[in-house]
Amino acid sequence: MFNLITKYLRPALFVTSSAAFGLSTNSTPTTNFLAQCLSTSTKAHPDDEIYDCLVIGGGVVGLAVGRELSVRGHTTLLLEKTANICTGASAGNSGIGCTGYDAPEGSLERWLLRRSILRHPNLYRSLGLSYNHVNKCGALVVAWNSSEDYALNEVLHSNHAAGDTEATLLHREDILDIEPALAQSSANGAVWVPREMVTEPWLVPIAYANNMLLNGGKIKVGSEVCRADLKELNDDQKVWHVTLTNGTVVRARTVFNCAGLYGDLIDRLGVGRSTFSIKPRKGQFVVFSPIENEHQSPNVIIQPVPTLRTKGVIVWKSVYGNIVVGPTAEEQEDRDDTSNDAQTIATLKKYGESILPALKSCRVVGTYSGIRPATEHRDYQIHHTKEQQWVTVGGIRSTGLTCASGISEYVADLYEDAPATHTNNPHQSRAAMPRTDPVLPPYLPSLPLQHPTAIPNPAAPDLYTLASDYYGRNDGQVYCFGRLWKVTHPLSIHGMTALGPVKLPKRRSNETLREFKTRYEQWQRRKNSDERNQATNGATATRRRRQKATQARAGGAQSGAPDGALDGAQDGDQQPVQLPKKELKLFTAEELDTYDGRRLSKPILLAVYGDVFDVSYGGENGEPSMYGVGSGYHALAGKACTRALALMSVDPKEIARGDDLSGLKQEEIEAALSWHRFLVKKYKVVGRM
Ligand SMILES: Cc1cc2nc3c(=O)[nH]c(=O)nc-3n(C[C@H](O)[C@H](O)[C@H](O)COP(=O)(O)OP(=O)(O)OC[C@H]3O[C@@H](n4cnc5c(N)ncnc54)[C@H](O)[C@@H]3O)c2cc1C
């Protein structure tokens, strides 16, 4: 066992921790890792506390798990070996919010991604994040030549199977509508994936960390675990004695291994075996300066058709405006070598310029790489070995930033009431079962926060404030959530550097959102005036006719940002879209029934908790309504459907019971309430019943 450890774990070279207060540090330098392992003294932790939970690893996954456990009231300590949190794979990713279409169907990874997406709007808001930090821009999965065309159907199917039924196949002309920056490219066809998004990749883990601290958890950086022994505490209890390379011993009842690229080694260190071996997979990136001409700058994420191993090289605009090209997917032995090689960087640069010719006039402001903790499996490796009081959260390969919230919930559920069966079959866990929704709506209402008593983060500063602070301090740190943090993600560093020197008035905090709204309005105007396509392309023409009819019905309510696109934002920094005030009409059930989408002259309506909503339009890309004839939820059109939504059912018997909630469980009633909140946000209320 020690051979393996010495092979991979290099001697710990601790740097004194950053001045990040709120985090404590064990920064004693050590020289020989093996010697530490063999001759560790058993100095007890000074306060001699036995923690309920000890999390090893301060990447986004460990931080989210630590937060969830703390929020649920378990005394939790997180240990991170480097001098700062968010330094491993979490500091080398693309920062894309993934929808999971490229994760294997039926995998735990896809399940947890979908679960995360449901949690995000409310969770991110409670973490202090806003649409200033998360750009819900959508993605185009592009076929670059006719030989890739065939694969688009597969991509479309995967999106639909994952639950994103609004994903659509696009022809070249449609692609240019959505992304005019591709005009000079060879884009042949694409699948539009509206739910993919771009995040501030460093702030998300930091937000989890801050929330963990606020909710009573502790984080120690500069604390490398090198030994773990499960020892008798008394006749019927055992505790883990976890030894750090400086000799300190901390005690905890359960250990959570979130060590990323070292996950297999930490498993072997603790429980003597691992169900996986880490196969480090490097991804290199090139970062360009922002493209000044708005029409040549990409609005959406541009992805190639994914392969079994990787999502492929992506081109996108970071939340700060830099254009990024990457990542590659290169297998390597070394778990720490994040170097870039000139040839790969040159290839990436060329690839980026072939897609976005405007990049030729941009500066390369930096390069970076990250290493994915991939394994021999095409799925996450999450197990709770109850008798050994050990939870493995391993192999979180390429979607961990997005999935951290779903993972943390799943892991905490496993820990709280795991029967023995969990060890072998995570899909059967109680964590997954009760939330299996037979019907997943395309625009998902956010789940209510599971622990409403959890202390929320204060709002994070907007990007311009962060950048100014970063620039002004000049020591690599920023002040956020009331603490100082070291900025560790290269994309954030390049982004803050790009924005930093500009002294900006405060009002610019709304600018990203306003830019987005303006772009959306421009895009809609272009689409509406494009009569030529209506005549030549049957499918497109039908869609656009419906869109126009919809706009007529909605009486202009679609101007402004797309409805549903703004859920989950910190409300404070947004300009509400002003809708014309109208007197609300009173509907009888019979009358409502005539608004079921069968008559083009009438909008499609449905009622929940007595409010009548106009659900004629589908969403930001002008898709037909999901409630229209032939669509998945047509059965609800023209109906009072509070009960049906509470049960997530389109069973006619349940729909016929309208607003009758008798016999429903509390969580079902809450589901109906959450649907109502969602509809209020996304659709216009046009009447009452
Ligand atoms: C190139 C690339 C692109 C990606 N793109 C995306 C994307 O667009 N979207 C997305 O959602 N995900 C993406 N990911 C995946 C995501 O970044 C990872 O899934 C996630 O960061 C894994 O987090 P982690 O906490 O498991 O691992 P890490 O971030 O590596 O954290 C593990 C931590 O454990 C610590 N540790 C290890 N050993 C010890 C020890 N003995 N004692 C104490 N601490 C220890 C390490 O120092 C490290 O900080 C990408 C990853 C890469 C590399």
Side-chain angles (χ1 to χ4, degrees), residues 83-387:
N84 293 289
I85 54 170
C86 188
T87 52
S90 306
N93 55 31
S94 323
I96 306 288
C98 314
T99 56
Y101 74 85
D102 51 332
E105 221 168 316
S107 62
L108 181 62
E109 180 177 4
R110 185 184 278 186
W111 164 258
L112 293 180
L113 274 167
R114 304 308 297 176
R115 181 74 191 153
S116 301
I117 293 168
L118 277 171
R119 292 189 88 198
H120 279 160
N122 276 338
L123 179 68
Y124 275 19
R125 185 187 290 122
S126 80
L127 293 178
L129 303 174
S130 78
Y131 280 112
N132 195 247
H133 315 110
V134 175
N135 182 8
K136 278 179 142 177
C137 52
L140 285 170
V141 181
V142 181
W144 294 110
N145 50 57
S146 51
S147 67
E148 281 179 347
D149 277 358
Y150 74 97
L152 289 182
N153 279 323
E154 188 99 340
V155 172
L156 184 70
H157 165 79
S158 301
N159 273 280
H160 289 181
D164 286 336
T165 49
E166 77 275 34
T168 331
L169 259 183
L170 299 180
H171 299 289
R172 184 175 161 80
E173 63 201 29
D174 298 311
I175 298 174
L176 299 186
D177 271 352
I178 288 181
E179 189 45 272
L182 288 182
Q184 306 301 317
S185 76
S186 59
N188 217 40
V191 174
W192 170 231
V193 185
R195 291 270 127 190
E196 297 247 317
M197 60 190 196
V198 176
T199 64
E200 207 302 355
W202 168 79
L203 199 53
V204 174
I206 296 304
Y208 282 122
N210 190 69
N211 206 246
M212 176 179 175
L213 296 173
L214 278 186
N215 284 282
K218 288 186 193 165
I219 298 175
K220 284 181 198 260
V221 292
S223 302
E224 180 165 9
V225 171
C226 65
R227 181 176 180 137
D229 306 283
L230 188 59
K231 294 187 178 174
E232 300 276 344
L233 180 66
N234 52 39
D235 284 350
D236 58 352
Q237 285 190 63
K238 290 181 176 173
V239 291
W240 280 101
H241 289 230
V242 172
T243 309
L244 309 185
T245 45
N246 66 2
T248 305
V249 176
V250 286
R251 295 190 295 163
R253 292 180 200 284
T254 302
V255 171
F256 295 75
N257 169 11
C258 302
L261 286 156
Y262 289 84
D264 52 347
L265 300 182
I266 294 293
D267 261 7
R268 284 173 210 157
L269 196 79
V271 291
R273 63 176 191 285
S274 178
T275 57
F276 60 93
S277 303
I278 289 291
K279 315 266 181 218
R281 189 179 295 156
K282 185 190 276 186
Q284 303 193 43
F285 301 83
V286 188
V287 187
F288 291 84
S289 59
I291 296 176
E292 277 171 21
N293 184 334
E294 176 70 15
H295 297 292
Q296 297 174 343
S297 182
N299 299 321
V300 305
I301 306 159
I302 304 162
Q303 300 172 359
V305 173
T307 68
L308 281 181
R309 272 173 68 244
T310 162
K311 213 165 176 159
V313 174
I314 307 172
V315 179
W316 78 101
K317 180 157 70 179
S318 82
V319 290
Y320 294 96
N322 295 104
I323 310 297
V324 193
V325 183
T328 53
E330 305 155 49
E331 314 289 342
Q332 63 179 35
E333 282 285 308
D334 198 298
R335 302 181 190 224
D336 294 311
D337 174 10
T338 52
S339 58
N340 289 116
D341 70 273
Q343 200 184 341
T344 306
I345 295 302
T347 311
L348 284 175
K349 187 167 177 285
K350 205 166 156 203
Y351 176 75
E353 289 169 356
S354 71
I355 291 174
L356 291 177
L359 281 181
K360 288 183 188 143
S361 50
C362 292
R363 264 181 321 118
V364 170
V365 294
T367 58
Y368 71 98
S369 73
I371 306 177
R372 304 171 185 88
T375 69
E376 66 274 43
H377 307 286
R378 281 196 72 214
D379 203 357
Y380 293 166
Q381 299 299 303
I382 303 180
H383 318 284
H384 179 197
T385 317
K386 199 177 179 189
E387 61 283 5

Side-chain angles (χ1 to χ4, degrees), residues 353-523:
E353 289 169 356
S354 71
I355 291 174
L356 291 177
L359 281 181
K360 288 183 188 143
S361 50
C362 292
R363 264 181 321 118
V364 170
V365 294
T367 58
Y368 71 98
S369 73
I371 306 177
R372 304 171 185 88
T375 69
E376 66 274 43
H377 307 286
R378 281 196 72 214
D379 203 357
Y380 293 166
Q381 299 299 303
I382 303 180
H383 318 284
H384 179 197
T385 317
K386 199 177 179 189
E387 61 283 5
Q388 289 178 293
Q389 298 167 214
W390 187 272
V391 182
T392 301
V393 191
I396 313 299
R397 40 193 206 135
S398 47
T399 45
L401 174 69
T402 318
C403 212
S405 70
I407 293 171
S408 65
E409 178 191 54
Y410 183 75
V411 164
D413 281 0
L414 280 182
Y415 163 67
E416 283 182 344
D417 52 15
T421 51
H422 289 178
T423 313
N424 298 326
N425 190 351
H427 281 82
Q428 291 307 311
S429 78
R430 196 198 65 80
M433 290 309 282
R435 300 185 181 101
T436 309
D437 303 326
V439 179
L440 272 180
Y443 282 93
L444 305 164
S446 180
L447 288 173
L449 290 175
Q450 247 181 338
H451 294 272
T453 49
I455 303 167
N457 283 350
D462 61 70
L463 299 178
Y464 292 99
T465 308
L466 282 174
S468 299
D469 192 35
Y470 183 80
Y471 181 70
R473 282 177 197 282
N474 202 22
D475 62 358
Q477 300 184 90
V478 292
Y479 192 72
C480 181
F481 304 128
R483 305 171 208 269
L484 271 181
W485 308 89
K486 179 93 175 165
V487 184
T488 53
H489 199 297
L491 269 186
S492 311
I493 293 171
H494 291 307
M496 289 184 198
T497 308
L499 289 186
V502 190
K503 279 274 165 256
L504 297 157
K506 268 207 154 65
R507 63 179 173 77
R508 291 203 63 157
S509 63
N510 281 332
E511 199 137 298
T512 304
L513 183 71
R514 274 205 294 275
E515 278 170 10
F516 172 66
K517 283 182 181 173
T518 314
R519 255 199 341 258
Y520 177 74
E521 281 166 5
Q522 284 168 353
W523 176 73

